[in-house]
Protein backbone atom coordinates (compact mmCIF):
# COMPACT_ATOMS: atom_id res chain seq x y z
CA UNK A 1 0.00 0.00 0.00
CA UNK A 2 1.68 3.18 -1.20
CA UNK A 3 1.74 6.37 0.83
CA UNK A 4 1.98 9.87 -0.56
CA UNK A 5 4.27 12.83 -1.07
CA UNK A 6 3.29 16.43 -0.45
CA UNK A 7 5.83 18.99 -1.64
CA UNK A 8 5.13 21.89 0.68
CA UNK A 9 6.11 25.54 0.64
CA UNK A 10 6.44 26.75 4.24
CA UNK A 11 6.38 30.45 3.32
CA UNK A 12 8.97 33.03 4.39
CA UNK A 13 9.05 32.02 8.04
CA UNK A 14 6.25 33.38 10.21
CA UNK A 15 3.40 31.06 11.19
CA UNK A 16 0.99 33.74 9.99
CA UNK A 17 2.04 33.05 6.41
CA UNK A 18 1.94 29.24 6.59
CA UNK A 19 -1.23 28.16 4.76
CA UNK A 20 -3.88 25.92 6.35
CA UNK A 21 -3.28 23.40 3.54
CA UNK A 22 0.42 23.17 4.39
CA UNK A 23 -0.35 22.82 8.09
CA UNK A 24 -2.92 20.08 7.50
CA UNK A 25 -0.51 17.95 5.44
CA UNK A 26 2.26 18.43 8.01
CA UNK A 27 -0.15 17.14 10.67
CA UNK A 28 -0.91 14.02 8.60
CA UNK A 29 2.68 13.27 7.59
CA UNK A 30 4.74 10.44 9.05
CA UNK A 31 8.02 11.83 7.67
CA UNK A 32 9.41 15.27 6.91
CA UNK A 33 12.28 15.61 4.44
CA UNK A 34 14.18 18.78 3.56
CA UNK A 35 17.07 21.16 4.07
CA UNK A 36 17.64 21.30 7.83
CA UNK A 37 16.63 24.97 8.49
CA UNK A 38 13.21 24.23 6.95
CA UNK A 39 12.72 20.84 8.63
CA UNK A 40 13.49 22.52 11.96
CA UNK A 41 10.43 24.75 11.49
CA UNK A 42 8.13 21.70 11.71
CA UNK A 43 7.14 21.00 15.35
CA UNK A 44 8.18 17.55 16.60
CA UNK A 45 5.42 15.16 17.70
CA UNK A 46 5.13 11.42 18.45
CA UNK A 47 5.03 9.36 15.26
CA UNK A 48 6.69 12.02 13.09
CA UNK A 49 10.18 11.29 11.79
CA UNK A 50 12.26 14.30 10.78
CA UNK A 51 14.90 13.78 8.05
CA UNK A 52 16.92 16.99 7.82
CA UNK A 53 19.70 17.08 5.24
CA UNK A 54 22.32 19.45 3.95
CA UNK A 55 22.14 21.95 1.13
CA UNK A 56 22.91 20.75 -2.43
CA UNK A 57 21.56 17.27 -1.68
CA UNK A 58 18.23 17.85 -3.38
CA UNK A 59 18.17 14.77 -5.63
CA UNK A 60 19.31 12.37 -2.90
CA UNK A 61 16.65 13.85 -0.63
CA UNK A 62 13.98 13.56 -3.34
CA UNK A 63 14.80 9.87 -3.99
CA UNK A 64 14.67 9.16 -0.29
CA UNK A 65 11.22 10.76 -0.08
CA UNK A 66 9.95 8.80 -3.10
CA UNK A 67 11.28 5.49 -1.69
CA UNK A 68 9.56 6.12 1.61
CA UNK A 69 6.25 6.99 -0.07
CA UNK A 70 6.50 3.84 -2.17
CA UNK A 71 6.93 1.88 1.07
CA UNK A 72 3.71 3.33 2.47
CA UNK A 73 4.93 6.40 4.37
CA UNK A 74 3.24 9.82 4.24
CA UNK A 75 6.06 12.14 3.31
CA UNK A 76 6.18 15.94 3.49
CA UNK A 77 9.01 17.39 1.43
CA UNK A 78 9.45 20.94 2.69
CA UNK A 79 10.99 24.09 1.22
CA UNK A 80 11.09 27.66 2.44
CA UNK A 81 8.82 30.06 0.52
CA UNK A 82 7.21 28.20 -2.39
CA UNK A 83 8.58 24.77 -3.28
CA UNK A 84 8.08 25.52 -7.00
CA UNK A 85 10.34 28.60 -6.93
CA UNK A 86 13.94 27.38 -6.58
CA UNK A 87 12.68 24.85 -4.04
CA UNK A 88 12.26 21.07 -3.90
CA UNK A 89 9.43 20.59 -6.45
CA UNK A 90 11.65 20.40 -9.55
CA UNK A 91 14.09 18.07 -7.75
CA UNK A 92 11.29 15.64 -6.87
CA UNK A 93 10.05 15.53 -10.46
CA UNK A 94 13.60 15.06 -11.75
CA UNK A 95 13.94 12.12 -9.37
CA UNK A 96 10.60 10.71 -10.57
CA UNK A 97 11.63 10.93 -14.21
CA UNK A 98 15.05 9.35 -13.70
CA UNK A 99 14.04 6.77 -11.07
CA UNK A 100 11.81 3.72 -10.56
CA UNK A 101 9.02 3.89 -13.21
CA UNK A 102 6.48 3.16 -10.46
CA UNK A 103 7.27 6.51 -8.85
CA UNK A 104 5.31 8.32 -11.61
CA UNK A 105 2.19 6.59 -10.29
CA UNK A 106 2.66 7.74 -6.70
CA UNK A 107 0.18 10.12 -5.07
CA UNK A 108 2.07 13.43 -5.35
CA UNK A 109 0.79 16.95 -4.74
CA UNK A 110 2.54 20.30 -4.65
CA UNK A 111 1.21 22.69 -1.99
CA UNK A 112 2.07 26.30 -2.86
CA UNK A 113 3.53 28.75 -0.36
CA UNK A 114 4.25 32.48 -0.07
CA UNK A 115 7.48 32.87 -1.99
CA UNK A 116 10.14 35.23 -0.65
CA UNK A 117 9.61 37.69 -3.50
CA UNK A 118 5.96 38.20 -2.56
CA UNK A 119 6.75 38.62 1.15
CA UNK A 120 9.62 41.02 0.46
CA UNK A 121 7.56 43.05 -2.00
CA UNK A 122 4.70 43.33 0.50
CA UNK A 123 7.04 44.70 3.17
CA UNK A 124 8.45 47.29 0.77
CA UNK A 125 5.09 48.36 -0.72
CA UNK A 126 4.35 47.12 -4.23
CA UNK A 127 7.64 47.05 -6.19
CA UNK A 128 6.45 44.03 -8.25
CA UNK A 129 3.16 45.74 -9.13
CA UNK A 130 3.94 45.52 -12.83
CA UNK A 131 5.66 42.95 -15.09
CA UNK A 132 8.60 41.30 -13.32
CA UNK A 133 11.12 38.45 -13.48
CA UNK A 134 12.28 35.98 -10.87
CA UNK A 135 15.88 34.74 -11.19
CA UNK A 136 18.31 32.68 -9.17
CA UNK A 137 21.82 34.07 -9.10
CA UNK A 138 23.32 30.70 -8.24
CA UNK A 139 25.53 29.29 -10.97
CA UNK A 140 25.62 25.80 -9.50
CA UNK A 141 23.03 24.77 -12.04
CA UNK A 142 23.38 27.19 -14.94
CA UNK A 143 26.20 29.03 -16.69
CA UNK A 144 26.96 32.47 -15.26
CA UNK A 145 26.95 34.07 -18.73
CA UNK A 146 23.36 32.87 -19.22
CA UNK A 147 22.39 34.63 -15.99
CA UNK A 148 24.04 37.86 -17.18
CA UNK A 149 22.24 37.52 -20.52
CA UNK A 150 18.92 37.20 -18.69
CA UNK A 151 19.66 40.21 -16.46
CA UNK A 152 20.40 42.32 -19.54
CA UNK A 153 17.25 41.13 -21.33
CA UNK A 154 15.12 41.87 -18.26
CA UNK A 155 16.62 45.34 -17.76
CA UNK A 156 16.25 46.28 -21.42
CA UNK A 157 12.62 45.13 -21.46
CA UNK A 158 11.72 47.09 -18.32
CA UNK A 159 11.00 44.19 -15.98
CA UNK A 160 11.45 44.56 -12.23
CA UNK A 161 13.55 41.66 -10.94
CA UNK A 162 13.63 39.47 -7.85
CA UNK A 163 17.05 37.88 -7.34
CA UNK A 164 17.14 34.69 -5.27
CA UNK A 165 20.39 33.24 -3.87
CA UNK A 166 22.20 36.54 -4.44
CA UNK A 167 25.42 35.55 -2.65
CA UNK A 168 27.14 32.56 -1.14
CA UNK A 169 30.52 31.93 0.43
CA UNK A 170 31.65 30.20 -2.78
CA UNK A 171 30.76 33.12 -5.08
CA UNK A 172 30.98 36.46 -3.24
CA UNK A 173 31.79 38.41 -6.45
CA UNK A 174 28.74 37.53 -8.52
CA UNK A 175 26.21 39.99 -7.12
CA UNK A 176 28.61 42.92 -7.65
CA UNK A 177 29.13 41.83 -11.25
CA UNK A 178 25.34 41.64 -11.66
CA UNK A 179 24.96 45.19 -10.28
CA UNK A 180 27.66 46.42 -12.71
CA UNK A 181 25.82 44.84 -15.65
CA UNK A 182 22.57 46.48 -14.54
CA UNK A 183 24.22 49.88 -13.96
CA UNK A 184 25.33 49.85 -17.59
CA UNK A 185 21.68 49.62 -18.68
CA UNK A 186 19.59 51.35 -16.01
CA UNK A 187 19.72 54.82 -14.43
CA UNK A 188 21.59 55.02 -11.12
CA UNK A 189 18.42 56.20 -9.34
CA UNK A 190 16.56 52.91 -9.87
CA UNK A 191 15.69 51.64 -6.37
CA UNK A 192 17.19 48.38 -5.14
CA UNK A 193 15.66 46.63 -2.13
CA UNK A 194 17.68 44.33 0.10
CA UNK A 195 15.10 42.30 2.02
CA UNK A 196 16.70 40.08 4.64
CA UNK A 197 14.87 37.36 6.59
CA UNK A 198 11.44 38.87 5.90
CA UNK A 199 8.84 38.03 8.62
CA UNK A 200 11.58 36.54 10.85
CA UNK A 201 12.68 38.21 14.13
CA UNK A 202 15.90 39.45 12.48
CA UNK A 203 14.12 40.95 9.44
CA UNK A 204 15.89 43.92 7.86
CA UNK A 205 14.83 45.99 4.87
CA UNK A 206 17.16 48.39 3.09
CA UNK A 207 16.35 50.54 0.04
CA UNK A 208 19.13 52.27 -1.89
CA UNK A 209 19.69 53.57 -5.43
CA UNK A 210 21.28 51.15 -7.91
CA UNK A 211 24.38 53.35 -8.05
CA UNK A 212 25.05 52.54 -4.37
CA UNK A 213 24.04 48.87 -4.43
CA UNK A 214 26.77 46.43 -3.47
CA UNK A 215 27.03 42.77 -2.60
CA UNK A 216 28.20 43.55 0.93
CA UNK A 217 24.61 44.59 1.72
CA UNK A 218 23.32 41.03 1.08
CA UNK A 219 23.83 37.64 2.65
CA UNK A 220 22.44 34.16 2.04
CA UNK A 221 19.13 35.08 3.67
CA UNK A 222 18.61 38.21 1.56
CA UNK A 223 16.31 38.60 -1.42
CA UNK A 224 17.29 41.46 -3.74
CA UNK A 225 14.61 43.33 -5.68
CA UNK A 226 15.72 45.50 -8.61
CA UNK A 227 13.05 48.06 -9.47
CA UNK A 228 12.57 49.98 -12.73
CA UNK A 229 12.80 53.54 -13.99
CA UNK A 230 9.06 53.87 -13.38
CA UNK A 231 9.26 52.87 -9.70
CA UNK A 232 8.13 55.52 -7.19
CA UNK A 233 9.17 56.21 -3.59
CA UNK A 234 6.84 57.75 -0.99
CA UNK A 235 8.32 58.92 2.33
CA UNK A 236 6.28 57.50 5.19
CA UNK A 237 8.57 58.74 7.99
CA UNK A 238 11.95 60.44 8.26
CA UNK A 239 13.89 57.28 7.43
CA UNK A 240 11.40 54.95 5.78
CA UNK A 241 9.64 54.91 2.45
CA UNK A 242 7.14 52.93 0.45
CA UNK A 243 8.39 51.60 -2.88
CA UNK A 244 5.82 50.88 -5.58
CA UNK A 245 5.44 50.25 -9.30
CA UNK A 246 2.73 52.42 -10.89
CA UNK A 247 0.12 50.39 -12.71
CA UNK A 248 0.43 52.42 -15.91
CA UNK A 249 3.54 52.12 -18.02
CA UNK A 250 4.40 54.19 -21.03
CA UNK A 251 7.23 53.16 -23.28
CA UNK A 252 10.45 54.86 -22.21
CA UNK B 1 -7.85 58.81 15.82
CA UNK B 2 -6.83 57.20 12.55
CA UNK B 3 -7.59 53.60 11.67
CA UNK B 4 -5.59 51.40 9.37
CA UNK B 5 -5.46 49.82 5.94
CA UNK B 6 -4.43 46.24 5.29
CA UNK B 7 -4.00 45.39 1.61
CA UNK B 8 -4.72 41.69 1.60
CA UNK B 9 -4.13 38.92 -0.95
CA UNK B 10 -6.88 36.32 -0.59
CA UNK B 11 -5.04 33.64 -2.57
CA UNK B 12 -6.47 31.74 -5.53
CA UNK B 13 -9.81 30.90 -3.92
CA UNK B 14 -9.78 27.95 -1.53
CA UNK B 15 -9.83 28.60 2.21
CA UNK B 16 -6.87 26.24 2.53
CA UNK B 17 -4.67 28.80 0.80
CA UNK B 18 -5.86 31.87 2.74
CA UNK B 19 -3.10 32.71 5.20
CA UNK B 20 -3.72 33.07 8.96
CA UNK B 21 -2.43 36.67 8.71
CA UNK B 22 -5.04 37.51 6.07
CA UNK B 23 -7.79 35.86 8.11
CA UNK B 24 -6.80 37.70 11.29
CA UNK B 25 -6.94 41.14 9.63
CA UNK B 26 -10.27 40.31 7.99
CA UNK B 27 -11.64 39.47 11.44
CA UNK B 28 -10.43 42.82 12.85
CA UNK B 29 -11.62 44.95 9.92
CA UNK B 30 -14.65 47.22 10.06
CA UNK B 31 -14.75 47.64 6.26
CA UNK B 32 -13.84 45.52 3.25
CA UNK B 33 -13.15 47.22 -0.07
CA UNK B 34 -12.47 45.51 -3.40
CA UNK B 35 -13.63 44.13 -6.71
CA UNK B 36 -16.97 42.41 -6.00
CA UNK B 37 -15.95 38.76 -6.67
CA UNK B 38 -13.21 39.11 -4.04
CA UNK B 39 -15.30 41.01 -1.49
CA UNK B 40 -17.92 38.27 -1.79
CA UNK B 41 -15.36 35.76 -0.48
CA UNK B 42 -15.29 37.54 2.89
CA UNK B 43 -17.98 36.15 5.24
CA UNK B 44 -20.51 38.72 6.42
CA UNK B 45 -20.69 39.44 10.16
CA UNK B 46 -22.28 42.11 12.39
CA UNK B 47 -20.18 45.28 12.39
CA UNK B 48 -18.49 44.56 9.07
CA UNK B 49 -19.36 46.80 6.11
CA UNK B 50 -18.71 45.36 2.66
CA UNK B 51 -17.94 47.81 -0.16
CA UNK B 52 -17.84 45.82 -3.40
CA UNK B 53 -17.09 47.74 -6.57
CA UNK B 54 -16.63 47.13 -10.25
CA UNK B 55 -13.52 46.29 -12.22
CA UNK B 56 -11.33 49.18 -13.46
CA UNK B 57 -12.27 51.35 -10.49
CA UNK B 58 -9.06 50.70 -8.60
CA UNK B 59 -8.07 54.32 -7.86
CA UNK B 60 -11.57 55.37 -6.76
CA UNK B 61 -11.68 52.32 -4.50
CA UNK B 62 -8.22 53.05 -3.09
CA UNK B 63 -9.15 56.67 -2.26
CA UNK B 64 -12.33 55.50 -0.58
CA UNK B 65 -10.31 53.08 1.56
CA UNK B 66 -7.78 55.77 2.52
CA UNK B 67 -10.54 58.25 3.45
CA UNK B 68 -12.21 55.69 5.66
CA UNK B 69 -8.93 54.80 7.41
CA UNK B 70 -8.25 58.49 7.96
CA UNK B 71 -11.67 58.74 9.61
CA UNK B 72 -10.79 55.94 12.03
CA UNK B 73 -12.07 52.84 10.23
CA UNK B 74 -10.14 49.57 9.97
CA UNK B 75 -10.13 48.86 6.27
CA UNK B 76 -9.25 45.63 4.46
CA UNK B 77 -8.55 46.20 0.76
CA UNK B 78 -8.79 42.77 -0.84
CA UNK B 79 -7.43 41.27 -4.06
CA UNK B 80 -7.46 37.74 -5.42
CA UNK B 81 -4.07 36.00 -5.31
CA UNK B 82 -1.42 38.43 -4.09
CA UNK B 83 -2.35 42.12 -3.90
CA UNK B 84 1.13 43.09 -5.09
CA UNK B 85 0.86 41.11 -8.36
CA UNK B 86 -1.57 43.02 -10.61
CA UNK B 87 -3.76 43.59 -7.54
CA UNK B 88 -4.74 46.56 -5.39
CA UNK B 89 -1.38 47.33 -3.70
CA UNK B 90 -0.02 49.58 -6.46
CA UNK B 91 -3.36 51.37 -6.76
CA UNK B 92 -3.40 52.20 -3.04
CA UNK B 93 0.14 53.62 -3.16
CA UNK B 94 -0.73 55.62 -6.31
CA UNK B 95 -3.68 57.06 -4.40
CA UNK B 96 -1.44 57.84 -1.40
CA UNK B 97 1.09 59.66 -3.56
CA UNK B 98 -1.49 61.72 -5.44
CA UNK B 99 -3.87 62.35 -2.53
CA UNK B 100 -4.05 64.03 0.89
CA UNK B 101 -0.46 64.33 2.21
CA UNK B 102 -1.66 62.93 5.56
CA UNK B 103 -2.39 59.61 3.86
CA UNK B 104 1.35 58.83 3.70
CA UNK B 105 1.34 58.76 7.50
CA UNK B 106 -1.51 56.25 7.78
CA UNK B 107 -0.92 52.78 9.25
CA UNK B 108 -0.69 50.69 6.04
CA UNK B 109 0.48 47.10 5.65
CA UNK B 110 0.49 44.75 2.67
CA UNK B 111 -0.35 41.13 3.54
CA UNK B 112 0.98 38.77 0.85
CA UNK B 113 -1.11 35.98 -0.67
CA UNK B 114 -0.63 32.92 -2.89
CA UNK B 115 -0.54 34.43 -6.36
CA UNK B 116 -2.28 32.60 -9.21
CA UNK B 117 1.02 31.71 -10.88
CA UNK B 118 2.21 29.80 -7.81
CA UNK B 119 -1.08 27.94 -7.41
CA UNK B 120 -1.27 27.07 -11.12
CA UNK B 121 2.37 25.94 -11.21
CA UNK B 122 1.82 23.72 -8.16
CA UNK B 123 -1.13 22.01 -9.83
CA UNK B 124 0.87 21.36 -13.00
CA UNK B 125 4.06 20.22 -11.23
CA UNK B 126 6.95 22.67 -11.24
CA UNK B 127 6.90 24.58 -14.53
CA UNK B 128 8.30 27.72 -12.83
CA UNK B 129 11.15 25.77 -11.24
CA UNK B 130 13.73 27.91 -12.99
CA UNK B 131 13.98 31.60 -13.95
CA UNK B 132 10.61 33.01 -14.99
CA UNK B 133 8.67 36.19 -15.79
CA UNK B 134 5.25 37.37 -14.71
CA UNK B 135 3.35 39.59 -17.18
CA UNK B 136 -0.11 41.06 -17.53
CA UNK B 137 -1.51 40.86 -21.04
CA UNK B 138 -3.91 43.71 -20.40
CA UNK B 139 -3.19 46.80 -22.46
CA UNK B 140 -5.45 49.06 -20.42
CA UNK B 141 -2.38 50.37 -18.66
CA UNK B 142 0.51 49.80 -21.05
CA UNK B 143 1.07 49.89 -24.81
CA UNK B 144 0.51 46.57 -26.56
CA UNK B 145 3.82 46.85 -28.45
CA UNK B 146 5.66 47.06 -25.12
CA UNK B 147 4.01 43.80 -24.06
CA UNK B 148 5.10 42.14 -27.32
CA UNK B 149 8.63 43.46 -26.80
CA UNK B 150 8.68 41.91 -23.32
CA UNK B 151 7.36 38.58 -24.59
CA UNK B 152 10.12 38.46 -27.21
CA UNK B 153 12.80 39.39 -24.67
CA UNK B 154 11.57 36.71 -22.25
CA UNK B 155 11.41 34.02 -24.93
CA UNK B 156 14.86 34.84 -26.29
CA UNK B 157 16.38 34.78 -22.80
CA UNK B 158 14.81 31.41 -21.94
CA UNK B 159 12.42 32.53 -19.22
CA UNK B 160 9.24 30.59 -18.50
CA UNK B 161 6.29 33.02 -18.43
CA UNK B 162 3.11 33.43 -16.44
CA UNK B 163 0.53 35.49 -18.33
CA UNK B 164 -2.13 37.21 -16.22
CA UNK B 165 -5.30 38.70 -17.74
CA UNK B 166 -4.82 36.72 -20.96
CA UNK B 167 -8.16 37.63 -22.54
CA UNK B 168 -11.11 39.93 -22.07
CA UNK B 169 -14.25 40.69 -23.99
CA UNK B 170 -12.67 43.96 -25.18
CA UNK B 171 -9.51 42.33 -26.57
CA UNK B 172 -10.16 38.77 -27.73
CA UNK B 173 -7.39 38.88 -30.37
CA UNK B 174 -4.41 39.69 -28.13
CA UNK B 175 -3.61 36.26 -26.75
CA UNK B 176 -3.53 34.75 -30.26
CA UNK B 177 -1.15 37.47 -31.37
CA UNK B 178 1.01 36.75 -28.33
CA UNK B 179 1.09 33.04 -29.22
CA UNK B 180 2.09 33.92 -32.79
CA UNK B 181 4.95 36.08 -31.53
CA UNK B 182 6.14 33.26 -29.26
CA UNK B 183 5.80 30.62 -32.01
CA UNK B 184 8.23 32.64 -34.13
CA UNK B 185 10.87 32.31 -31.40
CA UNK B 186 10.22 29.02 -29.60
CA UNK B 187 9.86 25.41 -30.79
CA UNK B 188 6.28 24.24 -31.32
CA UNK B 189 6.73 21.51 -28.68
CA UNK B 190 7.17 23.97 -25.80
CA UNK B 191 4.36 23.16 -23.34
CA UNK B 192 1.67 25.74 -22.63
CA UNK B 193 -0.53 25.35 -19.55
CA UNK B 194 -4.04 26.82 -19.38
CA UNK B 195 -4.91 26.88 -15.69
CA UNK B 196 -8.49 27.96 -15.08
CA UNK B 197 -9.97 28.77 -11.65
CA UNK B 198 -7.25 26.86 -9.79
CA UNK B 199 -8.42 25.54 -6.38
CA UNK B 200 -12.04 26.52 -7.15
CA UNK B 201 -14.78 23.91 -7.76
CA UNK B 202 -14.67 24.56 -11.51
CA UNK B 203 -10.88 24.22 -11.78
CA UNK B 204 -9.59 22.99 -15.13
CA UNK B 205 -6.03 22.36 -16.22
CA UNK B 206 -5.04 21.86 -19.86
CA UNK B 207 -1.54 21.26 -21.21
CA UNK B 208 -0.84 21.52 -24.94
CA UNK B 209 2.14 22.24 -27.19
CA UNK B 210 2.69 25.88 -28.19
CA UNK B 211 1.90 25.00 -31.82
CA UNK B 212 -1.68 24.15 -30.75
CA UNK B 213 -2.16 26.95 -28.23
CA UNK B 214 -5.04 29.33 -28.99
CA UNK B 215 -6.92 32.05 -27.21
CA UNK B 216 -10.18 30.08 -27.36
CA UNK B 217 -8.73 27.82 -24.63
CA UNK B 218 -8.58 30.71 -22.15
CA UNK B 219 -11.10 32.96 -20.44
CA UNK B 220 -10.91 35.76 -17.87
CA UNK B 221 -10.34 33.27 -15.05
CA UNK B 222 -7.44 31.49 -16.79
CA UNK B 223 -3.75 31.91 -16.08
CA UNK B 224 -1.52 30.91 -19.00
CA UNK B 225 1.94 29.47 -18.33
CA UNK B 226 4.42 29.34 -21.22
CA UNK B 227 7.18 26.84 -20.53
CA UNK B 228 10.63 26.63 -22.12
CA UNK B 229 12.58 24.30 -24.40
CA UNK B 230 14.05 22.67 -21.29
CA UNK B 231 10.64 21.83 -19.76
CA UNK B 232 9.91 18.12 -19.25
CA UNK B 233 6.64 16.17 -19.22
CA UNK B 234 6.12 12.99 -17.15
CA UNK B 235 3.00 10.88 -17.82
CA UNK B 236 1.27 10.14 -14.52
CA UNK B 237 -1.79 8.44 -16.05
CA UNK B 238 -3.22 7.85 -19.51
CA UNK B 239 -4.41 11.44 -19.89
CA UNK B 240 -2.51 13.45 -17.31
CA UNK B 241 1.09 14.56 -16.98
CA UNK B 242 3.40 16.44 -14.67
CA UNK B 243 5.13 19.46 -16.18
CA UNK B 244 8.40 20.59 -14.64
CA UNK B 245 11.46 22.74 -15.28
CA UNK B 246 14.72 20.89 -14.59
CA UNK B 247 16.93 22.70 -12.10
CA UNK B 248 19.97 22.57 -14.37
CA UNK B 249 20.06 24.71 -17.48
CA UNK B 250 22.70 24.65 -20.17
CA UNK B 251 22.82 27.39 -22.75
CA UNK B 252 20.82 26.43 -25.81
Amino acid sequence: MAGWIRIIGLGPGSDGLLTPDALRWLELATDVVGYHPYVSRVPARPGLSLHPSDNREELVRARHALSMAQAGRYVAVVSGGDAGVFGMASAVFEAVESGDPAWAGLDIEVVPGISACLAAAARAGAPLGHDFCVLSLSDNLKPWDLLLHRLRAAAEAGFAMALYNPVSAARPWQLDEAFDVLRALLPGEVPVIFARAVTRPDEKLLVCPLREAKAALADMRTLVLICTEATRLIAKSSDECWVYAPRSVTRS
Side-chain angles (χ1 to χ4, degrees), chain A:
Chain A
M1 182 69 184
W4 45 247
I5 290 194
R6 297 296 175 260
I7 310 168
I8 298 173
L10 298 178
S14 79
D15 290 344
L17 294 178
L18 180 70
T19 68
D21 276 357
L23 198 58
R24 182 170 57 97
W25 289 117
L26 290 172
E27 285 167 356
L28 294 171
T30 55
D31 298 84
V32 178
V33 170
Y35 179 39
H36 60 81
Y38 305 131
V39 172
S40 70
R41 282 200 216 158
V42 180
R45 59 173 162 78
L48 181 68
S49 298
L50 303 178
H51 308 273
S53 51
D54 225 338
N55 212 348
R56 301 205 186 180
E57 297 189 5
E58 289 80 5
L59 268 185
V60 174
R61 192 189 292 153
R63 291 187 187 116
H64 181 211
L66 289 157
S67 299
M68 286 196 290
Q70 194 173 21
R73 310 285 295 178
Y74 304 108
V75 185
V77 178
V78 297
S79 286
D82 181 273
V85 179
F86 311 121
M88 279 298 296
S90 280
V92 170
F93 291 112
E94 268 182 59
V96 168
E97 192 179 18
S98 62
D100 186 330
W103 287 353
L106 284 172
D107 176 6
I108 302 176
E109 277 184 31
V110 184
V111 182
I114 303 286
S115 191
C117 66
L118 302 184
R123 274 291 194 268
L128 304 181
H130 216 280
D131 302 336
F132 65 97
C133 295
V134 176
L135 302 102
S136 170
L137 235 61
S138 170
D139 67 349
N140 293 331
L141 298 163
K142 77 182 160 208
W144 179 242
D145 71 334
L146 176 58
L147 188 277
L148 294 181
H149 176 69
R150 288 181 178 170
L151 285 178
R152 285 190 194 98
E156 283 167 350
F159 286 104
M161 294 171 233
L163 306 183
Y164 284 67
N165 308 313
V167 291
S168 80
R171 41 187 183 79
W173 52 272
Q174 291 183 336
L175 182 58
D176 276 326
E177 186 172 331
F179 286 139
D180 284 341
V181 162
L182 294 171
R183 275 188 281 261
L185 294 167
L186 297 172
E189 302 78 48
V190 163
V192 176
I193 301 163
F194 294 83
R196 182 176 185 279
V198 167
T199 80
R200 309 287 290 179
D202 49 348
E203 170 179 316
K204 194 176 161 196
L205 205 74
L206 177 82
V207 182
C208 76
L210 177 58
R211 81 166 70 79
E212 294 170 19
K214 55 186 177 188
L217 297 170
D219 66 10
M220 286 180 68
R221 300 176 65 208
T222 306
L223 183 91
V224 177
L225 297 173
I226 314 285
C227 301
T228 74
E229 292 184 59
T231 305
R232 307 282 305 168
L233 301 180
I234 310 173
K236 58 177 167 175
S237 65
S238 60
D239 64 343
E240 285 194 12
C241 62
W242 291 114
V243 185
Y244 82 94
R247 298 166 309 136
S248 297
V249 179
T250 48
R251 183 135 202 178
S252 60

